[in-house]
Amino acid sequence: MSSNRPGHIRLTSHPGPQAHRWPLRWGGATPADRGPVVASVTRLADRNAIGTHGGSYSLYRALAVSSGAMSALQRPDLSNTHPVVEIGPHPQWSEPDRIVSLDPWGHLVGDVFADAIGEGVDVRPSIAVTRARINLPELSALLSAGGLRADGRVMHPGGDVSVVKAAVDPVWWLPGIARRFGVTESNLRRTLFEQTGGMYPELVTRPDMEVFLPPIGGISLYVFGDPAGLADRRVPLTCRIHDECNGSDVFGSDICTCRPYLTHGIEECIRAAQAGGVGLIVYNRKEGRALGEVTKFLVYNARKRQEGGDQAATYFERTECVAGVQDARFQQLMPDVLHWLGITRIHRLVSMSNMKHDALVAQGIEVGERIAIPADRIPPDASVEMEAKKAAGYHAEAVPDEAALRATVGRPLDEM
């Protein structure tokens, strides 16, 4: 099937490898070496990536186009959209297997690929960096109670907190993803094709296309203090890596510790920035341990209705019975965004998750002190979750690592 309409994708069975006008060399040391990621649906001859820009939001774009609210030929005007602060390049950007799930040049495409864009090539940013202020009721309450202080730089008298924030869309380099998970690329491609109902035939028909823009949620970053300090091992870094929980993070559900741990992490990041360090919140869109909110709510029902009520001993069993797996977050890809920021050392990790800690260490990022959520922040209904995680080995006991404390907190700043 084919058509001359703009944006109409030709359906094929096996076109085979093709020469690309814009070849991609993942891990190239410069933009020219690496080449632009082009997932255009308007100039098909330029495409060198599977999928399309915008991930899951491309479906809403399709609705806008089909309803006549938007032109299929619409292209973004990138004037004045460049990042508000400089990020990179960092050495990790040119190590192909170090960053496999995002485009390290994704925030700079408007500048580094300006010539190609000027020629009409549809190159779009996959990362945006801006400034903002945030305000949470828990922070305002701490400010009023004297638990936090307004310094006029990080935290302001009204409770607002100044941050630099970034949004990151996923861009998967399939050979690197396969190696990270210890599978063959062909098996990965075939499984992605099958489990998306054949939505992306190029996964199995175009082995020459190694980059895939998956229709999944991305990452939000919030930086407290000077972002330049993130890549400087001498600057103390406090970091909370948080996986999305809409029910708790937004609506305050008390069945888990997600929002309390998130606000505690933000609190610690503020203190770090005020003390001359830098704070970082990494917010991953992985709702319900990447099983989705519908599955999560089904598990809630199953846990509450079982004989004997909600129990730590059967916490993960009920999840696996409904979802087929206890946890689908698979933290192997999580460190990539830290490599993008140039981070090699986290002095204080606001998390007791062994999965997150081990994934960071496995990717060469040093971790010092681990900060547990204070006991008085844990909602009563969340005690089952906490006990289950500890029993299953997901969480370390809330005991500071003395060696790590000596290695970070106890050393002079100029030696860190």
Side-chain angles (χ1 to χ4, degrees):
M1 180 186 297
S2 64
S3 171
N4 293 324
R5 287 191 292 113
H8 187 80
I9 299 292
R10 181 185 297 271
L11 298 181
T12 57
S13 58
H14 250 283
Q18 298 179 16
H20 295 293
R21 181 187 177 197
W22 305 100
L24 280 171
R25 304 178 186 88
W26 203 261
T30 68
D33 290 339
R34 209 290 304 276
V37 174
V38 186
S40 171
V41 296
T42 57
R43 290 182 37 154
L44 304 185
D46 291 338
R47 282 174 62 84
N48 60 12
I50 303 165
T52 184
H53 300 291
S56 58
Y57 290 97
S58 63
L59 301 179
Y60 290 103
R61 186 169 68 238
L63 289 177
V65 171
S66 65
S67 65
M70 175 181 172
S71 168
L73 299 176
Q74 191 275 339
R75 296 273 302 281
D77 178 356
L78 299 178
S79 301
N80 296 320
T81 63
H82 56 278
V84 298
V85 297
E86 289 188 14
I87 295 179
H90 295 294
Q92 295 96 318
W93 294 16
S94 58
E95 300 176 39
D97 285 301
R98 190 68 73 182
I99 298 177
V100 301
S101 62
L102 60 91
D103 177 8
W105 300 100
H107 58 310
L108 301 174
V109 298
D111 292 328
V112 298
F113 299 119
D115 290 345
I117 293 172
E119 290 182 31
V121 181
D122 192 3
V123 187
R124 305 192 184 193
S126 59
I127 302 175
V129 185
T130 190
R131 293 187 188 275
R133 289 192 181 189
I134 62 173
N135 193 317
L136 282 72
E138 292 91 338
L139 301 181
S140 296
L142 281 169
L143 181 62
S144 298
L148 286 173
R149 63 181 177 86
D151 63 325
R153 178 180 62 91
V154 179
M155 192 167 200
H156 303 275
D160 290 350
V161 181
S162 292
V163 296
V164 169
K165 63 180 183 178
V168 182
D169 280 342
V171 178
W172 287 7
W173 181 50
L174 294 174
I177 296 279
R179 283 195 287 272
R180 189 76 62 87
F181 281 87
V183 300
T184 65
E185 184 184 345
S186 60
N187 182 50
L188 173 66
R189 284 173 171 269
R190 184 178 67 254
T191 307
L192 286 169
F193 173 74
E194 293 171 350
Q195 293 298 313
T196 56
M199 184 180 289
Y200 300 100
E202 291 164 320
L203 285 165
V204 292
T205 65
R206 294 294 301 274
D208 54 309
M209 286 187 173
E210 296 185 337
V211 171
F212 174 43
L213 278 60
I216 59 175
I219 305 167
S220 296
L221 303 173
Y222 289 80
V223 182
F224 302 76
D226 186 356
L230 291 168
D232 189 338
R233 292 171 58 85
R234 299 169 299 175
V235 177
L237 169 60
T238 294
C239 179
R240 165 72 183 164
I241 298 166
H242 190 91
D243 292 330
E244 177 183 27
C245 178
N246 185 63
S248 179
D249 295 342
V250 178
F251 293 100
S253 171
D254 64 354
I255 198 170
C256 62
T257 59
C258 295
R259 182 180 174 93
Y261 223 147
L262 176 60
T263 56
H264 174 58
I266 293 173
E267 174 189 340
E268 292 297 320
C269 285
I270 292 170
R271 292 198 178 99
Q274 290 179 330
V278 62
L280 173 66
I281 298 292
V282 178
Y283 193 90
N284 295 300
R285 294 310 196 287
K286 297 178 179 178
E287 178 63 61
R289 299 197 196 101
L291 300 171
E293 200 165 36
V294 169
T295 296
K296 181 167 72 171
F297 288 6
L298 294 175
V299 172
Y300 285 168
N301 288 346
R303 284 169 49 195
K304 296 285 187 177
R305 289 169 175 163
Q306 65 186 338
E307 185 177 350
D310 200 8
Q311 305 169 41
T314 56
Y315 178 90
F316 287 110
E317 176 187 335
R318 297 310 299 142
T319 302
E320 191 164 1
C321 285
V322 175
V325 65
Q326 293 182 3
D327 194 323
R329 287 174 295 176
F330 304 115
Q331 300 290 351
Q332 291 96 320
L333 300 179
M334 174 267 293
D336 285 22
V337 74
L338 302 181
H339 292 315
W340 174 65
L341 293 168
I343 292 171
T344 59
R345 187 179 200 180
I346 298 173
H347 299 78
R348 303 177 75 240
L349 178 65
V350 188
S351 172
M352 299 305 290
S353 167
N354 289 330
M355 293 174 66
K356 293 175 182 176
H357 171 272
D358 295 349
L360 292 167
V361 173
Q363 281 294 304
I365 297 174
E366 296 178 25
V367 176
E369 182 184 6
R370 297 168 70 181
I371 310 298
I373 185 173
D376 61 1
R377 308 283 182 93
I378 301 174
D381 208 23
S383 59
V384 170
E385 177 200 51
M386 293 299 289
E387 292 306 312
K389 288 180 177 179
K390 291 176 183 177
Y394 278 50
H395 271 52
E397 293 295 331
V399 178
D401 184 333
E402 295 298 330
L405 283 170
R406 287 194 299 272
T408 57
V409 179
R411 292 171 59 187
L413 183 61
D414 59 0
E415 294 181 10
M416 295 175 67

